[in-house]
Amino acid sequence: MRTRVAVFVATLMSALVVMVGLGALPAAAEGESIFGFLKNAKGKELQPVPGVKVTVKGPGGTETATSDDQGRWTVEVGKPGNYTVTLDQDTLPKGVTLRNPDADSLKVPVAEGQDKPVLFALGKSTRQVQSKWEQAAQLTAEGLRFGLILALAAVGLSLIFGTTGLTNFAHGELVTLGALLTWWISTGNLPFLPDFGGLQFFPAAAIALVLCAAFGWANDAWLWRPLRQRGTGLIAAMIVSIGLSIFLRYFYLYIFTGNTRQYPDYQGQKGLNLGPVDLAARDVWSMIVAVIVLLATIFALQRTRIGKATRAVSDNPALAAASGIDVDRVIRVVWIGGATLAGLAGILLGLAQGINFQTGFQILLLIFAAVTLGGLGTAYGALVGSIVVGLFITVSTLWIPVELKNVGALGILIIILLIRPQGILGRAQRVG
């Protein structure tokens, strides 16, 4: 048992040592840059705008760039500082204009080692000032999308807690792993391996999910099962998960850097106008995928043999073991499934807001809130809690500042738990 724990820790440390030995920090080594994509709405598509001149002036001097056939332009600025980025409107093709003609010059801060994106909005605005009802409809759609993505991660965390009792603070890093792996595979920029040109988004995401499942298996096989066999207490296991979370987060930072990036296939998309609601096509598909996967998870828990065994272990592990259920096997399957769901949540979240080394950590508190609100240890409660949290933190911005939206959600959580400590769908005897 001690050997397996040592192997797991040694594997993580060896990966870091190899990275140091290889000096693999490609993004930082390239220096600072400013880039952007010039896209103009024509019909139902966003079309690239080539041949537009952009000037960047700042501490690194004055540099110019011209957008290519894909509308992309890049300027290597050479050093951090504050830069002024100016678009030459005289070079815009006929019929293409800035949405705001006075916004042709933007001031941009660039940090050390950062690739800074800059957006110039092209084309006429097709939307008028929204009424409160239109804003509420838009925010409800966005909240539902976020709630569904949150549910994918929360269901996995709830299943792990229900079968093992572990409060896994490293669950956010499983979310981040899915997003990072998909980006690495889709760009061909995998650590330790030569650049292979990258894959399309969908095969890259499928491979990333398989790797997330494998990482979930390794988590249990090399760390948590040996700790369970040694009789490690839940408090000690929670502290181990905190340490693992910190290690993985800064390991991601080392090899990915602190930049926020986008999937190459989804740099920009025209919104779909659904009455008062505007959503990008990727957001609509994200919601559809999340609903299908969540329904499949519910079906598996209700109808399959392993699902029924999972619910039995969650209710009473000792009685399940006495009934002939292989508890360790069930927990292993839960870890694989939970890591896969978390990885999918990270992929869909990356589509909506980009990818960085803190993608999962930034929503970890909301995941815990959703699980607690819905009811500890119940997957259905995690689903309901996630929808409530997702809707509240977005719709509440109609009345409270955006910076306080998470505070409001956690305030509602406290109020509900004061009234119903076991959560929305939890059972009183399960708490504690």
Side-chain angles (χ1 to χ4, degrees):
M1 292 180 287
R2 294 181 179 179
T3 302
R4 293 185 179 180
V5 176
V7 168
F8 180 78
V9 175
T11 301
L12 294 178
M13 295 304 296
S14 298
L16 183 58
V17 171
V18 171
M19 288 299 300
V20 173
L22 293 176
L25 194 61
E30 294 173 359
E32 300 77 18
S33 70
I34 299 176
F35 71 96
F37 287 85
L38 297 176
K39 305 264 186 177
N40 185 56
K42 189 173 183 180
K44 296 183 178 181
E45 298 181 354
L46 285 175
Q47 294 188 348
V49 182
V52 180
K53 182 179 178 181
V54 178
T55 303
V56 177
K57 184 177 182 180
T62 301
E63 300 287 342
T64 61
T66 303
S67 58
D68 60 19
D69 292 340
Q70 300 302 315
R72 182 184 175 96
W73 57 270
T74 304
V75 173
E76 302 291 339
V77 295
K79 59 176 65 175
N82 293 318
Y83 288 83
T84 301
V85 183
T86 304
L87 183 144
D88 187 350
Q89 297 191 59
D90 294 336
T91 61
L92 288 171
K94 185 177 180 180
V96 179
T97 60
L98 279 171
R99 184 169 298 178
N100 180 3
D102 296 328
D104 60 348
S105 186
L106 303 174
K107 295 189 179 298
V108 178
V110 178
E112 184 176 356
Q114 184 178 24
D115 299 320
K116 184 74 174 185
V118 173
L119 175 65
F120 289 101
L122 301 179
K124 296 181 180 179
S125 176
T126 58
R127 295 300 304 272
Q128 303 297 322
V129 176
Q130 290 182 315
S131 67
K132 281 290 185 180
W133 289 109
E134 290 176 321
Q135 293 178 43
Q138 177 69 32
L139 291 173
T140 299
E142 293 176 0
L144 183 60
R145 174 189 57 79
F146 181 64
L148 289 170
I149 293 175
L150 201 65
L152 291 170
V155 167
L157 179 64
S158 184
L159 288 173
I160 291 171
F161 176 84
T163 53
T164 66
L166 172 67
T167 305
N168 182 24
F169 279 84
H171 199 74
E173 275 50 61
L174 296 177
V175 174
T176 305
L177 183 64
L180 293 186
L181 284 173
T182 303
W183 186 86
W184 278 324
I185 297 171
S186 63
T187 59
N189 190 24
L190 278 168
F192 316 120
L193 298 176
D195 192 334
F196 60 88
L199 301 177
Q200 293 293 321
F201 172 78
F202 290 106
I207 294 173
L209 290 178
V210 172
L211 293 175
C212 285
F215 188 75
W217 175 89
N219 255 271
D220 185 61
W222 296 347
L223 180 61
W224 300 115
R225 183 171 183 268
L227 289 177
R228 289 196 305 272
Q229 291 178 336
R230 292 183 60 182
T232 303
L234 294 178
I235 299 298
M238 181 184 69
I239 294 173
V240 171
S241 77
I242 294 173
L244 180 61
S245 170
I246 295 171
F247 174 84
L248 289 175
R249 192 181 320 137
Y250 288 99
F251 183 70
Y252 296 155
L253 172 63
Y254 180 77
I255 58 178
F256 189 72
T257 76
N259 298 328
T260 297
R261 309 175 194 270
Q262 304 290 334
Y263 296 121
D265 294 343
Y266 293 93
Q267 296 285 358
Q269 278 190 330
K270 179 176 169 57
L272 298 177
N273 193 340
L274 307 173
V277 176
D278 277 337
L279 289 174
R282 61 175 179 265
D283 294 330
V284 176
W285 280 109
S286 294
M287 295 169 71
I288 294 173
V289 169
V291 168
I292 292 174
V293 172
L294 288 170
L295 289 176
T297 302
I298 292 173
F299 176 83
L301 288 172
Q302 289 289 343
R303 300 296 183 181
T304 66
R305 185 174 182 180
I306 189 66
K308 294 176 181 178
T310 299
R311 290 190 287 124
V313 172
S314 181
D315 284 336
N316 192 322
L319 181 59
S323 302
I325 295 175
D326 188 342
V327 174
D328 281 333
R329 177 175 175 270
V330 170
I331 293 175
R332 185 71 49 81
V333 171
V334 166
W335 266 102
I336 293 172
T340 304
L341 289 173
L344 179 59
I347 294 170
L348 299 183
L349 196 62
L351 281 174
Q353 63 185 39
I355 311 105
N356 62 52
F357 77 101
Q358 296 191 101
T359 295
F361 177 70
Q362 290 169 339
I363 66 168
L364 181 62
L365 190 59
L366 296 178
I367 296 173
F368 279 123
V371 171
T372 308
L373 180 62
L376 294 174
T378 165
Y380 310 114
L383 173 58
V384 173
S386 298
I387 300 299
V388 172
V389 170
L391 286 172
F392 183 84
I393 65 175
T394 52
V395 176
S396 64
T397 57
L398 280 171
W399 304 282
I400 64 176
V402 175
E403 294 80 7
L404 297 178
K405 61 182 182 181
N406 290 354
V407 176
L410 297 176
I412 292 296
L413 169 66
I414 293 172
I415 293 172
I416 291 180
L417 292 184
L418 286 174
I419 300 171
R420 185 177 172 82
Q422 67 269 34
I424 296 174
L425 297 183
R427 292 180 295 178
Q429 63 267 30
R430 294 178 59 89
V431 174

